[in-house]
């Protein structure tokens, strides 16, 4: 029986076998990365996720679960399908500045009713303010959320086409159903950079993700920013590829794996993530899978490819 069969964890079993085979072929590779910082991460059991860097910060690496980001799709949020029980891919509370935090069952019902009342009345300023809908997620024009497209609210992404004046043009944004994308923590303060930004990792940069045991890396782009103290979120398209899903989710219930979709959630339990700082193209952002695949694959191969990634994952897991 080979040493691979004695691996104590799924990660080490999947990664360790690759390293043993590489060593047997006489070309085992070194990771060449070390911990650069600990990212505050409310999604991690310890409250922090270690992020590694190579000596010249040409790549950043971490391992984390990936929750689901739906922004930029044509059916992310709906006033009528507030909870995403039918066709919407997200719960409208997730587009609100307070995310409906702390509300009990009746409070949630009242928030839904208030939002639907504001929408029916044409978004009057007083009611719209009470809904707490965030203009950073649902773009506003003249103090009101953009008009719905096909019955769904327009949702924005930080990655967008340059020189598009109409904030309500949904084609301006990275579609989470189409574009494999990652979310990085935003800057914690107006004059304070995140640890990622300090290392020049920003929206538009190329990335690679791979599940333990996988052999086909998924190429991606940093498409958005999220809470300053959270890490680990991928677009529907990215998570779907990592999970081997071939059809889009029906609604938010499926995204979360709730109800009749129990066991079918789109959250990735664990992914190896590699980001290439300063790889973005500001003039013509990477937004289509075809361009992302070509550009990110070249970066990945130049960096060391799958062998180096598995070496880093093995060292990271010790």
């Amino acid at each position: 029986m080979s040493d691979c069969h004695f691996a104590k964890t799924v990660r080490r079993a999947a990664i360790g076998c690759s390293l043993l085979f590489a060593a047997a072929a006489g070309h085992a590779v070194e990771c060449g990365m070390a911990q650069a910082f600990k990212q505050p991460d409310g999604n991690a059991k310890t409250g922090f996720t270690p992020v590694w860097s190579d000596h010249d910060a040409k790549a950043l690496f971490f391992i984390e679960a990936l929750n689901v980001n739906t922004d930029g799709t044509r059916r992310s949020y709906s006033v009528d399908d507030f909870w995403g029980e039918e066709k919407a891919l997200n719960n409208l509370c997730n587009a609100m500045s307070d995310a409906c935090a702390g509300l009990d069952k009746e409070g949630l019902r009242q928030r839904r009713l208030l939002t639907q009342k504001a929408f029916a009345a044409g978004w009057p300023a007083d009611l719209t303010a009470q809904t707490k809908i965030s203009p950073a997620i649902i773009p506003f024009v003249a103090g009101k959320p953009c008009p719905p497209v096909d019955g769904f609210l327009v949702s924005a992404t930080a990655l967008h086409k340059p020189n598009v004046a109409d904030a309500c043009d949904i084609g301006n944004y990275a579609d989470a159903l189409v574009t494999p994308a990652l979310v990085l923590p935003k800057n914690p303060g107006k004059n304070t950079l995140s640890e990622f930004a300090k290392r020049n990792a920003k929206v538009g940069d190329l990335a690679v993700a791979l599940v333990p045991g996988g052999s086909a890396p998924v190429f991606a782009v940093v498409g958005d920013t999220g809470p300053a103290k959270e890490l680990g979120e991928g677009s529907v398209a990215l998570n779907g590829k990592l999970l081997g899903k071939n059809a889009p989710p029906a609604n938010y219930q499926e995204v979360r794996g709730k109800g009749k979709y129990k066991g079918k959630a789109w959250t990735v339990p664990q992914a190896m993530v590699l980001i290439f700082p300063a790889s973005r193209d500001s003039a013509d952002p990477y937004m289509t899978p075809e361009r992302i695949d070509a550009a990110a694959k070249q970066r990945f191969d130049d960096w060391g490819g799958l062998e180096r990634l598995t070496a880093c994952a093995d060292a990271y897991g010790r």
Side-chain angles (χ1 to χ4, degrees), residues 74-89:
R74 292 180 176 272
R75 57 186 187 96
S76 188
Y77 302 100
S78 167
V79 175
D80 292 332
D81 187 17
F82 191 97
W83 306 115
E85 296 172 318
E86 298 174 5
K87 295 183 179 181
L89 297 181

Side-chain angles (χ1 to χ4, degrees), residues 9 19 60 63 74 91 125 133 143 156 160 183 185 191 242 300-301:
T9 66
L19 292 173
L60 299 174
I63 298 178
R74 292 180 176 272
N91 169 352
I133 290 176
H160 58 81
V183 178
N191 299 312
L242 290 171
F300 185 51
D301 290 345

Side-chain angles (χ1 to χ4, degrees), residues 24-282:
H27 53 79
V29 297
E30 298 264 342
C31 172
M33 303 185 89
Q35 182 174 300
F37 61 94
K38 285 187 175 183
Q39 168 63 37
D41 185 4
N43 295 321
K45 291 181 180 180
T46 62
F48 293 89
T49 292
V51 179
W52 286 20
S53 172
D54 43 22
H55 72 280
D56 50 6
K58 287 186 177 180
L60 299 174
F61 172 72
F62 61 89
I63 298 178
E64 175 63 292
L66 295 180
N67 291 321
V68 186
N69 181 275
T70 68
D71 293 340
T73 74
R74 292 180 176 272
R75 57 186 187 96
S76 188
Y77 302 100
S78 167
V79 175
D80 292 332
D81 187 17
F82 191 97
W83 306 115
E85 296 172 318
E86 298 174 5
K87 295 183 179 181
L89 297 181
N90 214 326
N91 169 352
L92 190 50
C93 279
N94 288 331
M96 296 175 175
S97 59
D98 66 345
C100 299
L103 296 181
D104 58 15
K105 186 175 181 179
E106 178 58 23
L108 292 170
R109 189 179 80 90
Q110 291 300 326
R111 180 66 65 87
R112 173 182 63 80
L113 292 173
L114 171 67
T115 304
Q116 291 172 341
K117 179 180 179 181
F119 173 67
W123 300 111
D126 56 337
L127 290 180
T128 301
Q130 292 177 54
T131 68
K132 299 186 184 296
I133 290 176
S134 171
I137 300 174
I138 307 295
F140 278 40
V141 173
K144 299 180 180 182
C146 290
V149 176
D150 298 329
F152 296 89
L153 295 174
V154 174
S155 58
T157 58
L159 178 64
H160 58 81
K161 296 177 182 177
N163 306 317
V164 176
D166 184 6
C168 295
D169 181 357
I170 197 168
N172 181 30
Y173 306 110
D175 187 340
L177 279 173
V178 176
T179 306
L182 287 158
V183 178
L184 287 184
K186 64 182 64 174
N187 294 332
K190 185 176 181 180
N191 299 312
T192 305
L193 295 177
S194 72
E195 292 295 332
F196 284 94
K198 288 177 183 178
R199 292 160 178 83
N200 205 15
K202 299 178 182 179
V203 168
D205 283 337
L206 296 166
V208 180
L210 181 70
V211 294
S215 60
V218 178
F219 301 112
V221 66
V222 177
D224 220 334
T225 57
K229 294 185 178 181
E230 290 186 10
L231 183 65
E233 192 172 350
S235 68
V236 180
L238 174 61
N239 287 20
K241 286 190 173 185
L242 290 171
L243 294 169
K245 293 179 180 289
N246 297 315
N251 50 39
Y252 185 59
Q253 297 299 302
E254 182 176 344
V255 168
R256 293 296 304 278
K258 301 292 186 180
K260 68 178 182 180
Y261 302 104
K262 187 175 182 180
K264 298 180 180 180
W266 285 63
T267 300
V268 178
Q270 192 176 69
M272 304 173 245
V273 178
L274 190 68
I275 296 168
F276 298 107
S279 58
R280 52 198 170 274
D281 183 344
S282 299

